[in-house]
Amino acid sequence: MKNYYVLIMAGGIGSRFWPLSRTAHPKQFIDILGTGKTLIQQTYDRFLKIVPRENIFILTNESYIDLVKEQLTDIDGSQILAEPVMRNTAPCIAYGSHKILKINPNASIVVAPSDHLIMDSEEFTRCIKKSLDAALENDCLITLGIKPSRPDTGYGYIQFNTQKIGEDFFKVKTFTEKPNIELAKTFVQSGDFLWNAGIFVWSAKNILKSYEKYLPEMNDIFKEGEMVYNTPQEQEFIQSAFSQCTNISIDYGIMEKADNVYVLPTEFGWSDLGTWASIYDQSEKDYVGNVVIPSERVIMYDSSNCMVNVSKEKLVVLQGLHDFIVVEENNTLLICPREQEQEIKQIVADVKQRFGSEFI
């Protein structure tokens, strides 16, 4: 276990969950499912079963340092890796990997989002441990694939072939970003496509070899910090490093190009909780299909299949509403048909243009 490390990515702003998720307090720091724990707390607890507490690092934005400290009270400040500017996933993973390599050259690292739902924790733990071991023993980059239950157009897909490492890790053939419905149906029917969960496992040495090959300029930027990682000078160096980085994802920068990528097909009750629809799907419903979080002061008459998330202090009465999203937070009320929730991103942009950042 001492060679196992975790990088939890917690820097996103979660604009699809506006107005509940706001730039100053995004969805990973919210108890969006009404469980009593925020998404980042659930993710952190899950990994405590796999790696020592001191081997968990949080990749986040500078403006969320206090939120991380407030919600994960037992981690040290040195375990929070703060990006001064948003530059997508490749730069922050390069930073985390170089920092961990300096601590332990034999490290095996899992990189995971902070805001996903995992229903079967035991199976998740088994899959991650198996992947961490495989990553230490083989020259490979591993991604976790989810066996698709439906042709969903909201996920990326991973195609694999019959070439394997061990019994369970299949060679990745292609990555496809969010396909249209016809293509998604073909993928699911073929049986050789999985949903891309955005969870990666590799050794520190192998991922940095891939950065050297596919993102050499970015790798050089973070390699320059070798002498300052895990010292008081680290943050000053990072300020300068991030300003030089291009905005690129790890998927596009490395995973789609590398020839040593393998996928582990998994089933552990995963959802990326990317939309109100996914929250609705995962939540307990009343007898007419309504989801109400929290439910103490909401009264509904002749209303069905609604997703309602309102502050505890408000009394909310809904009459004759069917298939709607109703969210109230931050002096903002959103009422939107469930089938039109993809418009929320545009609504957020319009609100910002008209009223500035006050409500965003």
Side-chain angles (χ1 to χ4, degrees):
M1 268 177 74
K2 68 179 183 358
N3 290 337
Y4 291 171
Y5 290 79
V6 177
L7 289 170
I8 296 175
M9 295 186 289
I13 58 171
S15 60
R16 289 196 194 100
F17 288 95
W18 181 85
L20 186 67
S21 174
R22 311 182 305 286
T23 306
H25 199 102
K27 74 164 178 169
Q28 59 270 30
F29 302 109
I30 296 170
D31 176 12
I32 208 159
L33 292 165
T35 62
K37 287 200 170 179
T38 66
L39 295 176
I40 193 171
Q41 287 171 332
Q42 289 184 42
T43 303
Y44 178 72
D45 289 352
R46 208 176 290 132
F47 282 113
L48 280 178
K49 297 173 187 159
I50 300 171
V51 309
R53 190 183 307 278
E54 62 275 14
N55 289 11
I56 299 177
F57 293 86
I58 312 297
L59 296 167
T60 193
N61 192 274
E62 243 177 27
S63 51
Y64 303 143
I65 292 173
D66 289 343
L67 275 172
V68 173
K69 286 179 176 173
E70 192 184 296
Q71 296 201 0
L72 306 178
T73 51
D74 57 353
I75 69 164
D76 188 78
S78 64
Q79 291 167 261
I80 303 171
L81 280 56
E83 321 158 296
V85 286
M86 285 187 174
R87 285 287 188 270
N88 216 316
T89 51
C92 66
I93 292 170
Y95 169 25
S97 302
H98 275 283
K99 184 177 165 82
I100 289 170
L101 185 76
K102 178 86 182 287
I103 298 167
N104 182 350
N106 300 313
S108 186
I109 305 169
V110 53
V111 179
S114 57
D115 53 3
H116 288 186
L117 173 70
I118 308 290
M119 302 290 275
D120 187 343
S121 261
E122 276 183 28
E123 178 61 12
F124 176 79
T125 299
R126 192 186 69 80
C127 291
I128 295 291
K129 283 182 174 173
K130 184 195 284 191
S131 301
L132 283 162
D133 288 340
L136 280 179
E137 292 159 15
N138 300 279
D139 176 10
C140 64
L141 308 177
I142 294 167
T143 182
L144 268 57
I146 309 296
K147 290 178 184 170
S149 55
R150 59 188 183 278
D152 199 304
T153 59
Y155 297 140
Y157 285 74
I158 301 166
Q159 183 185 24
F160 60 94
N161 60 28
T162 52
Q163 200 178 325
K164 287 198 283 192
I165 285 178
E167 281 303 298
D168 304 301
F169 297 89
F170 294 82
K171 184 91 187 275
V172 170
K173 194 173 170 184
T174 61
F175 286 91
T176 305
E177 267 307 298
K178 302 174 181 175
N180 62 36
I181 189 66
E182 292 312 316
L183 203 50
K185 282 178 183 170
T186 310
F187 286 174
V188 174
Q189 282 161 5
S190 77
D192 57 358
F193 282 82
L194 302 162
W195 287 337
N196 186 352
I199 300 169
F200 308 110
V201 185
W202 40 55
S203 69
K205 283 177 182 164
N206 278 332
I207 188 59
L208 292 176
K209 251 197 310 192
S210 296
Y211 270 95
E212 239 171 75
K213 186 172 179 181
Y214 301 106
L215 293 172
E217 288 172 10
M218 188 177 290
N219 189 58
D220 289 346
I221 290 167
F222 289 101
K223 203 173 180 181
E224 272 176 36
E226 255 170 1
M227 301 314 294
V228 300
Y229 290 127
N230 311 305
T231 75
Q233 288 76 48
E234 180 177 326
Q235 201 48 43
E236 191 186 334
F237 167 76
I238 287 303
Q239 291 284 339
S240 146
F242 267 82
S243 66
Q244 300 168 59
C245 287
T246 49
N247 187 330
I248 189 169
S249 71
I250 191 80
D251 302 72
Y252 185 71
I254 291 179
M255 300 304 279
E256 292 179 18
K257 297 179 171 71
D259 56 6
N260 61 336
V261 179
Y262 288 79
V263 64
L264 176 66
T266 62
E267 288 181 283
F268 41 66
W270 170 88
S271 168
D272 73 343
L273 298 182
T275 59
W276 281 115
S278 60
I279 301 291
Y280 179 85
D281 289 344
Q282 299 297 334
S283 301
E284 209 173 300
K285 299 162 189 67
D286 68 14
Y287 70 102
V288 284
N290 294 314
V291 171
V292 185
I293 307 170
S295 58
E296 288 89 345
R297 295 189 178 181
V298 178
I299 304 172
M300 302 183 77
Y301 300 99
D302 181 30
S303 296
S304 63
N305 304 320
C306 289
M307 171 76 233
V308 183
N309 193 306
V310 292
S311 59
K312 286 178 184 170
E313 298 77 38
K314 293 275 169 72
L315 169 62
V316 177
V317 182
L318 300 176
Q319 165 92 43
L321 210 57
H322 304 279
D323 299 293
F324 268 77
I325 296 165
V326 180
V327 186
E328 189 270 332
E329 184 69 33
N330 188 33
N331 282 338
T332 306
L333 173 64
L334 171 76
I335 302 171
C336 167
R338 275 177 49 208
E339 63 190 30
Q340 289 175 33
E341 77 159 314
Q342 66 278 7
E343 306 295 329
I344 291 175
K345 270 196 144 175
Q346 185 56 49
I347 292 167
V348 172
D350 294 344
V351 169
K352 190 171 184 179
Q353 191 179 3
R354 289 186 64 176
F355 303 107
S357 297
E358 183 189 347
F359 297 100
I360 303 303

